Amino acid sequence: MTPSAPAPHVDVATPERVALSLPVAGIGYRCLAWLVDASLLFFFWVALYFVITLLVSDVLGAFQALSGLTQTLLAVGLFATQWLYWTLAEVFFHGQTPGKRVMRIRVVREDGAPVGFFESAVRNLCRAVDFLPVLYATGCITMLLDSRHRRLGDMLAGTVLVREEAIDLDKYTQAPTVDAPATDASVQRPLNAEDVELVLAFLARAPGLEPEVRRRLGTRLVDRVGASLTDEERTRVLQSPEATEAFLRTRAKAVH
């Protein structure tokens, strides 16, 4: 029996020298996310059309009465509105539109870094080409041929869509079976390789996480690697994400 080919992924080397493997979102994930976003845009335009009909009795006639230049500007404005929807959502929501959020996928740069305005603007401008001749035929063919399921816009912008995977930290936060930690809070137990990898992986992904998820995961890691902290020290460490991550970074570096 021939073994199946490995799923496509993006290898990312963090500044802490931890290798992360991000699974690439396939064409199925991308199509479902697009359907959600397209549905939201459709309902927006239906609602706008309904409002316009309250002001103008014959919308089609009014449009046909406009000059050719005005009609062209309206068509460009229609595309610009959709371009702004995708671009601003990806920039301000860390690479996610509502559809991508539902499907738990995210746009990142090819090195795994968060997508910026330039990359998002380029990839979404190219939707006009990927849509040709109809229903994203060009984009779908390109995704099927590319090993990372990228459409032309992704190739030009240097971006890729990755899937978010939930990390279950409960197995790392079980109560220790050893004796109570030392009373001296300044003495911390050495971190093993698994602890270091977990801490560094969290620090690498923390800026792109939702605030509540970032806080919750940081708290669990502090409870794991800072078992000998006093209540006062623990409160001080958890007072802000920056303080929490500074403590975790110090603990990881203390291994060496």
Side-chain angles (χ1 to χ4, degrees), residues 81-92:
T81 301
Q82 298 183 86
W83 172 77
L84 284 173
Y85 168 83
W86 268 291
T87 300
L88 296 182
E90 290 175 356
V91 171
F92 289 106

Side-chain angles (χ1 to χ4, degrees), residues 78-205:
L78 176 65
F79 175 79
T81 301
Q82 298 183 86
W83 172 77
L84 284 173
Y85 168 83
W86 268 291
T87 300
L88 296 182
E90 290 175 356
V91 171
F92 289 106
F93 297 105
H94 307 291
Q96 288 185 312
T97 60
K100 293 182 179 68
R101 186 179 181 87
V102 169
M103 296 308 302
R104 300 184 64 83
I105 62 178
R106 185 184 301 272
V107 181
V108 297
R109 297 201 312 233
E110 290 182 336
D111 60 358
V115 68
F117 178 80
F118 175 77
E119 293 86 6
S120 182
V122 171
R123 73 183 302 273
N124 287 305
L125 277 175
C126 291
R127 287 184 183 275
V129 179
D130 286 312
F131 191 83
L132 298 175
V134 69
L135 296 177
Y136 281 94
T138 300
C140 289
I141 294 174
T142 305
M143 283 187 281
L144 290 174
L145 296 177
D146 184 70
S147 61
R148 293 185 175 182
H149 304 303
R150 296 174 299 173
R151 57 181 178 83
L152 290 177
D154 291 312
M155 294 179 181
L156 291 175
T159 57
V160 64
L161 264 73
V162 297
R163 291 186 286 114
E164 293 184 334
E165 291 186 332
I167 301 176
D168 183 11
L169 292 182
D170 290 338
K171 61 181 179 180
Y172 299 117
T173 57
Q174 298 175 355
T177 58
V178 298
D179 295 336
T183 55
D184 183 4
S186 64
V187 178
Q188 299 283 348
R189 66 175 178 82
L191 300 186
N192 56 36
E194 184 179 54
D195 290 336
V196 174
E197 183 176 355
L198 185 63
V199 168
L200 294 182
F202 167 73
L203 292 174
R205 298 186 63 183

Side-chain angles (χ1 to χ4, degrees), residues 56-71:
V56 181
S57 58
D58 185 7
V59 178
L60 181 60
F63 177 78
Q64 292 176 339
L66 298 174
S67 64
L69 176 61
T70 304
Q71 292 179 3

Side-chain angles (χ1 to χ4, degrees), residues 48-62:
L48 181 61
Y49 179 81
F50 176 76
V51 172
I52 294 175
T53 57
L54 297 178
L55 303 175
V56 181
S57 58
D58 185 7
V59 178
L60 181 60

